[in-house]
Amino acid sequence: MTSTPTVGFIYPDHAAEDDYPLAASWLDASFPVAHIYGTDLHAVPELLDLGSPARLAEGARLLARHGPAAVVWACTSGSFVYGPEGAEEQVATLEEATGVPTSSTSRAYLAALSALGIRKVAVAASYPDGVARLFVDYLASAGVEVVSFSSAGIATAAEVGILTPAQVTALVTGNDHPEAEALLVPDTAMRTLAVLPDLESGLGKPVLTANQVTIWEGLRLAGTPRYSARLGTLFAERMADAGR
């Protein structure tokens, strides 16, 4: 491996941020996390406020002392809720604040799907139905076909963050579709990294979770790809240089 990369993550409130030091320990990387605060309600007005330029600029300021090589806004709903064009504008504005390559979890999903050559997916979302449908629309705008989607209807990130590994596994495996080439689990508030290998083994296909794709995207932007069997197909050795 090359020298230890530093990738910064802007994370909303508190829920499953311990996925990041866990992954850092597996990948020989440094993943400082800066928290920004708002409501953790999965509702459009609150999510638009959470992903606003002022809040994200504060996250960029907090990360600056770490000297990250790349920064990712680690919130799926707080990016796709802006729509395809708005999500791109959000990243562009944040990149001006960070001064380094910058992305978001929503954009990370598109990059990961492209790298894997996947066009048909199932979505197992924790969000309420209306928010989950906005993610489906976001994927469709990039030419990704959602063959099925489910919404668990969980109102807040805090509630998602206390799901047990067994509950996460049930939510994911119970919402697959035979035509889907991969299953997407789009909420950075959900702890998924520890169960990824079992999920993929059980389903026989890639499972792309929010914290997983966020970390992959940050390393990709930093130009320091890593691989680990613990992090699923996306982090397989053959994928190490994908998307660069």
Side-chain angles (χ1 to χ4, degrees):
M1 287 190 175
T2 58
S3 60
T4 302
T6 298
V7 177
F9 299 96
I10 301 173
Y11 192 92
D13 295 285
H14 295 276
E17 65 269 27
D18 47 354
D19 266 359
Y20 292 86
L22 179 64
S25 70
W26 293 342
L27 297 168
D28 188 28
S30 176
F31 293 156
V33 176
H35 294 271
I36 60 172
Y37 297 95
T39 177
D40 73 343
L41 188 64
H42 288 147
V44 172
E46 286 77 9
L47 291 168
L48 289 171
D49 176 70
L50 188 63
S52 65
R55 291 195 187 277
L56 295 186
E58 172 64 9
R61 185 189 68 78
L62 293 170
L63 284 173
R65 66 185 179 89
H66 298 283
V71 168
V72 186
W73 165 220
C75 182
T76 326
S77 56
S79 46
F80 71 68
V81 74
Y82 281 83
E85 293 182 5
E88 289 300 305
E89 292 173 4
Q90 181 189 59
V91 167
T93 300
L94 179 56
E95 188 165 279
E96 291 180 7
T98 65
V100 297
T102 298
S103 189
S104 68
T105 305
S106 293
R107 184 192 265 185
Y109 267 110
L110 300 185
L113 290 169
S114 177
L116 291 168
I118 289 171
R119 308 305 295 177
K120 289 186 177 183
V121 303
V123 172
S126 56
Y127 316 123
D129 185 79
V131 174
R133 289 182 183 276
L134 293 177
F135 184 54
V136 172
D137 293 343
Y138 177 83
L139 294 170
S141 74
V144 178
E145 181 182 352
V146 178
V147 295
S148 70
F149 92 99
S150 61
S151 53
I154 302 176
T156 68
E159 293 172 274
V160 175
I162 61 173
L163 293 176
T164 66
Q167 289 172 317
V168 170
T169 298
L171 185 148
V172 174
T173 58
N175 290 290
D176 188 24
H177 189 282
E179 294 182 16
E181 300 167 321
L183 195 150
L184 279 52
V185 189
D187 194 343
T188 59
M190 188 183 298
R191 291 179 175 85
T192 57
L193 299 193
V195 297
L196 259 172
D198 289 341
L199 291 176
E200 290 200 338
S201 176
L203 295 176
K205 65 182 64 175
V207 175
L208 301 181
T209 73
N211 289 327
Q212 173 210 37
V213 301
T214 298
I215 292 163
W216 178 85
E217 175 80 334
L219 291 167
R220 182 184 73 86
L221 291 178
T224 53
R226 291 290 197 265
Y227 61 90
S228 171
R230 290 171 165 173
L231 288 168
T233 301
L234 186 61
F235 278 84
E237 187 168 1
R238 67 183 181 278
M239 291 298 302
D241 293 314
R244 294 184 68 186

